[in-house]
Each structure stands twice: as C-alpha cells, then as structure tokens.
Amino acid sequence: MNGFVRFACHAAVAVWIALYLAWRSADVPLVEAAPPLRLLPAPVASPAPAPSAPRPMDVGGAEVARGEDLLAAGDGFPALSFSYQSFPSFRAYAASMESLGARFVVVSRRAIVAGVDLEGGDLGDARLEAGFSPRARDYSAEPALAGVTGTARARFGDDAEVMLLMPRRVDAGLFGGIARALDERGPGHTGYSEVRGRYERAPDGGVRLHVLGAQRLDGAEEAFELVFDLAALAGGPT
C-alpha cells in the first residue's frame, strides 16, 4: 500500500494534485490544476504504535482565515509529506478521512464526473455540496484502489483519476496552523521547502496529524513536533 500522502513530496510514486473546484453551467463540478502534490510509498507492515505526542495545537479563527488565504494563493507554501503507515491498511486510513467529511471522487478532464463508494468499489453520483478544499489528493496509483481506477478509466477515459476531497475547513486549519508554527520558528513558511509528518489514531479514536519536522530552503533539517486534531478542525475553529 502507499504509505505517504504528500502535498508535493520527494519519494517516487504518484502525485497529490492540487486543484481548484468550480461549477460549469451544466452543473458539473470542475477542477483546475495547481501546484502538484504527491503520494509516497511505504512498506506493507503492521501499524506502528502511536508514540506519545504533544497536546494538539489550538487552531482558532485567525489561523483558519490565514489558511483560507494560503489555499487561495495556490503556491508559496512548503510541500507537505504525510505518511499514513500508522494505519493497518489504506482502507482504514481512507475510512478515517471519510469520517471527517472527506470524499473520494473521479476526475476526468478537470471535471468531477463520479463519486466513489469505497465499501462496494462502485462509482455513483458526482453531486457534492460546497465546502471542500481546493486542493485534492490524487490516489490513482494506490494499489488498493486499482479496481476503482480501472473502472473509472474504462468508463470515462484514460485521463480519469481517483481523488480525495478534504473539507475546506480542515485544510484551512492545517495550512494556517502550520504557517503560524513556522513563523514562530523564525523564517516563516516561505523559508521552508517541506514539512513532514504522519496521520495517527487519536487516543479518543479520532484522527490526528503529527508533524515531525521540516526542511529549510537551504536543505537543513529541523526536528520539531506539532499535533492537529483533525476532528476538531472538521468541526470548525476553536
């Protein structure tokens, strides 16, 4: 299984493509290309035990507002490389994302043409309510979704991709919170090329993002920890 989600990362496999959502007059959602985001592979193994972590970061309205601006800008933010190998399988990880309000869809020629039912492996209605992040994650190379990707391409063409749409408020909180933390470290988010971390199960059964460090533009590595409670972000700013 693929073990890393990267909103632009260095190891080799598929691309976490950043997109902007729009609607055509025919009421079909559109997506527009933005800076690429990639997925990283990880070995198939038992889930790693979640280590102790600091208290989740408080993300308030100021961070969410800043995150909205960063999402709208489309570039200038460090690549985000987030592993999901702490989960026993891609399906477990995907279910945790869906529990936050994320949705898997099929995109063809920049249009969202179908929704994906991971449980049954079927394609369905593409209608979505507003409120998703303009940055989607491309999972077309995920082995666990090979059947779904094959069905999508047979129906919609070879350019069809299976992507994950995250709730906009989750990504806004993450981007704004990370930017605040990097500001506090000195150079701010523009001084870094990459931020790394992993998704983990929270003690209460929810999902958290555990940031473990970052790389500066000059290549220097910095180790530090941040934790985000994704369920809290999905519920709105604290």
Side-chain angles (χ1 to χ4, degrees):
M1 73 174 180
N2 284 345
F4 270 83
V5 174
R6 184 174 184 191
F7 311 11
C9 44
H10 61 272
V13 188
V15 184
W16 189 95
I17 299 199
L19 305 168
Y20 288 103
L21 299 179
W23 292 88
R24 288 199 278 200
S25 58
D27 293 330
V28 178
L30 297 182
V31 293
E32 296 181 3
L37 306 173
R38 296 179 289 178
L39 306 177
L40 294 179
V44 177
S46 300
S52 59
R55 177 180 178 276
M57 183 177 184
D58 290 326
V59 178
E63 287 76 33
V64 172
R66 184 176 183 188
E68 286 283 0
D69 291 341
L70 291 167
L71 288 175
D75 58 13
F77 200 77
L80 304 179
S81 302
F82 298 149
S83 163
Y84 49 86
Q85 64 185 7
S86 291
F87 288 83
S89 66
F90 174 80
R91 296 284 179 165
Y93 160 77
S96 73
M97 294 297 104
E98 290 188 324
S99 74
L100 299 171
R103 293 293 178 265
F104 284 87
V105 298
V106 176
V107 174
S108 177
R109 299 177 184 176
R110 297 190 300 111
I112 298 173
V113 295
V116 177
D117 173 14
L118 287 183
E119 188 66 27
D122 301 321
L123 305 183
D125 192 352
R127 295 289 180 182
L128 295 168
E129 296 180 357
F132 288 98
S133 171
R135 303 202 176 193
R137 285 77 158 164
D138 187 348
Y139 284 92
S140 302
E142 167 57 48
L145 296 180
V148 172
T149 300
T151 299
R153 290 177 176 170
R155 186 176 302 181
F156 300 108
D158 291 342
D159 72 322
E161 310 287 355
V162 178
M163 297 190 174
L164 177 67
L165 305 181
M166 286 294 288
R168 189 179 184 97
R169 59 186 173 268
V170 173
D171 272 1
L174 286 177
F175 276 63
I178 290 171
R180 189 188 91 189
L182 295 182
D183 284 348
E184 292 171 352
R185 298 192 65 78
H189 69 274
T190 58
Y192 292 85
S193 60
E194 184 177 23
V195 176
R196 304 186 184 102
R198 60 174 168 250
Y199 291 105
E200 300 172 349
R201 282 290 186 191
D204 63 1
V207 187
R208 65 188 181 186
L209 175 63
H210 191 169
V211 174
L212 298 170
Q215 183 180 62
R216 289 181 180 248
L217 294 179
D218 63 6
E221 299 285 346
E222 291 187 9
F224 60 90
E225 291 187 278
L226 300 171
V227 172
F228 294 91
D229 182 337
L230 299 190
L233 294 182
T238 56

